[in-house]
Amino acid sequence: MDRSHVPLIVDIKRHSLEDGPGIRSVVFFKGCPLRCTFCQNPETQYPGVEIAFSTEECIRCGECAAACPQGAIDLGLPDRIHRQRCDRCGKCVRVCPGKGLRLVGLYYPVDTLTEILLRDLPFYRHSGGGVTLSGGECTLYLDYLEKLLQGLKAEGVHVAVETSGYFCYEAFKQKILPYINLIYYDIKIADPEVHRSHLGKTNRVILNNLHRILTEKGVEVHPRIPLVPGITATRDNLSAIVGLLCKAGARDVSLLPYNPMGINTATCLGRPRPPLPKGFMKADEEREIRTMFENLLKAHGKEKWEREV
């Protein structure tokens, strides 16, 4: 099999109480068509294998340098790795006695992943939970997902998909929609050019897909807005998004408080530190934004959403 066209998985988070109803298993696929400057999971942006380095976990034993065939390890470097030389073969990771180095991205055959996810079938059934496919952008791998979802649907598993909305709609409708119950659909920035500057592409495809998917029967669609200070969590942007959602016929929306965890992950992957706030959003700041959002909703002639989230 040509591994350059198969999905890698960053993590399978079992027994999660987030990302959907009940007890869930969340699968984080590697690869995304967008390049959000505020990405919470930067290890899922690029589709290929990557090597992450943690200064705190490194014991400076030198085993990695001795094992590297490319001479890409230098204990004198803060990041230890000459990224331009590294071919990501993973030999350094295999000899690391701790967690200083780790390989990011693992391929699972569909049958193997299905078996892993079905191990928790009793938890799904008793809690009203299921499986959530996340990323990155899991819809990059529609053929793989279709086979995976067929196996899950045969066992009656509730499936949610978390998506940026940047996908081919007709292929998504044919291969994915028949097998899923819930879609978390992220809307980040309303202005198309501001969207391009922070995400690498305009939002035309995303908004077109949102309008279409909200008309589909048999699947719940929950739009979500990540609150990033100074970028998405501004009055102008939130007001414009409310207008877009009302026009599209959305029945609810979730506001996701800013999470700075992606900053450390980016530096572990040898990338520049994103120019983002270091701390989590404070409770009073979140309340202020939510109050502003409610007022913006009323300004657009809507007292509240049909469903409360």
Side-chain angles (χ1 to χ4, degrees):
M1 179 181 293
D2 180 2
R3 294 294 175 85
S4 64
H5 298 291
V6 300
L8 300 181
I9 290 170
V10 171
D11 190 21
I12 303 171
K13 184 171 68 173
R14 298 173 66 191
H15 307 151
S16 172
L17 297 178
E18 303 173 343
D19 301 284
I23 297 173
R24 310 192 70 80
S25 293
V26 186
V27 184
F28 293 90
F29 286 83
K30 203 171 189 317
C32 184
L34 304 179
R35 290 294 179 266
C36 302
T37 57
F38 46 84
C39 182
Q40 184 177 322
N41 300 309
E43 73 276 22
T44 65
Q45 284 187 345
Y46 298 101
V49 172
E50 293 181 273
I51 293 178
F53 169 72
S54 173
T55 304
E56 292 78 10
E57 302 289 345
C58 177
I59 62 174
R60 300 183 63 86
C61 66
E63 293 293 327
C64 54
C68 179
Q70 303 299 326
I73 304 291
D74 183 346
L75 298 184
L77 293 176
D79 183 40
R80 303 291 192 272
I81 305 171
H82 289 283
R83 298 283 177 177
Q84 295 79 6
R85 296 182 196 171
C86 176
D87 64 1
R88 296 162 294 174
C89 68
K91 292 180 179 179
C92 60
V93 177
R94 288 193 286 273
V95 301
C96 180
K99 297 181 181 179
L101 293 165
R102 63 183 178 91
L103 211 59
V104 182
L106 181 66
Y107 172 70
Y108 292 80
V110 173
D111 290 345
T112 301
L113 181 58
T114 303
E115 187 274 328
I116 291 171
L117 296 175
L118 290 180
R119 291 174 190 173
D120 290 329
L121 189 57
F123 293 102
Y124 307 153
R125 288 176 174 169
H126 287 290
S127 70
V131 171
T132 299
L133 305 179
S134 189
E137 180 54 61
C138 62
T139 63
L140 287 177
Y141 310 106
L142 294 179
D143 291 336
Y144 181 96
L145 256 60
E146 183 180 30
K147 294 177 182 177
L148 174 66
L149 291 169
Q150 287 170 347
L152 296 177
K153 187 176 179 64
E155 297 294 336
V157 176
H158 179 282
V159 178
V161 168
E162 295 182 325
T163 179
S164 68
Y166 201 96
F167 51 74
C168 172
Y169 193 85
E170 294 304 328
F172 179 86
K173 181 174 182 178
Q174 176 187 346
K175 296 176 181 290
I176 306 302
L177 269 181
Y179 307 105
I180 63 176
N181 308 92
L182 173 62
I183 298 173
Y184 289 115
Y185 200 104
D186 289 351
I187 299 293
K188 298 166 182 173
I189 296 177
D191 183 273
E193 290 308 316
V194 178
H195 193 280
R196 186 200 300 273
S197 69
H198 283 287
L199 286 81
K201 298 181 185 295
T202 72
N203 57 7
R204 180 178 59 85
V205 171
I206 295 169
L207 296 181
N208 286 344
N209 284 346
L210 176 66
H211 279 266
R212 297 183 68 178
I213 210 162
L214 284 169
T215 67
E216 298 287 352
K217 306 298 183 183
V219 62
E220 293 184 47
V221 181
H222 294 303
R224 306 186 303 185
I225 307 170
L227 300 176
V228 184
I231 300 177
T232 67
T234 66
R235 175 177 292 274
D236 287 347
N237 184 56
L238 292 177
S239 177
I241 289 178
V242 168
L244 290 172
L245 292 177
C246 289
K247 183 177 180 181
R251 296 177 60 192
D252 57 47
V253 66
S254 295
L255 302 180
L256 307 180
Y258 171 69
N259 184 333
M261 299 301 290
I263 296 175
N264 183 61
T265 302
T267 57
C268 286
L269 294 169
R271 301 180 199 168
R273 185 191 182 282
L276 297 168
K278 296 180 180 179
F280 285 87
M281 183 171 284
K282 297 179 180 178
D284 57 346
E285 183 181 6
E286 183 182 344
R287 284 194 297 269
E288 182 178 343
I289 292 174
R290 289 185 180 277
T291 299
M292 177 179 68
F293 190 82
E294 292 171 2
N295 292 332
L296 291 171
L297 190 61
K298 294 176 182 178
H300 281 81
K302 201 175 184 71
E303 284 296 319
K304 62 179 181 178
W305 297 108
E306 295 174 45
R307 292 185 300 223
E308 295 297 331
V309 178

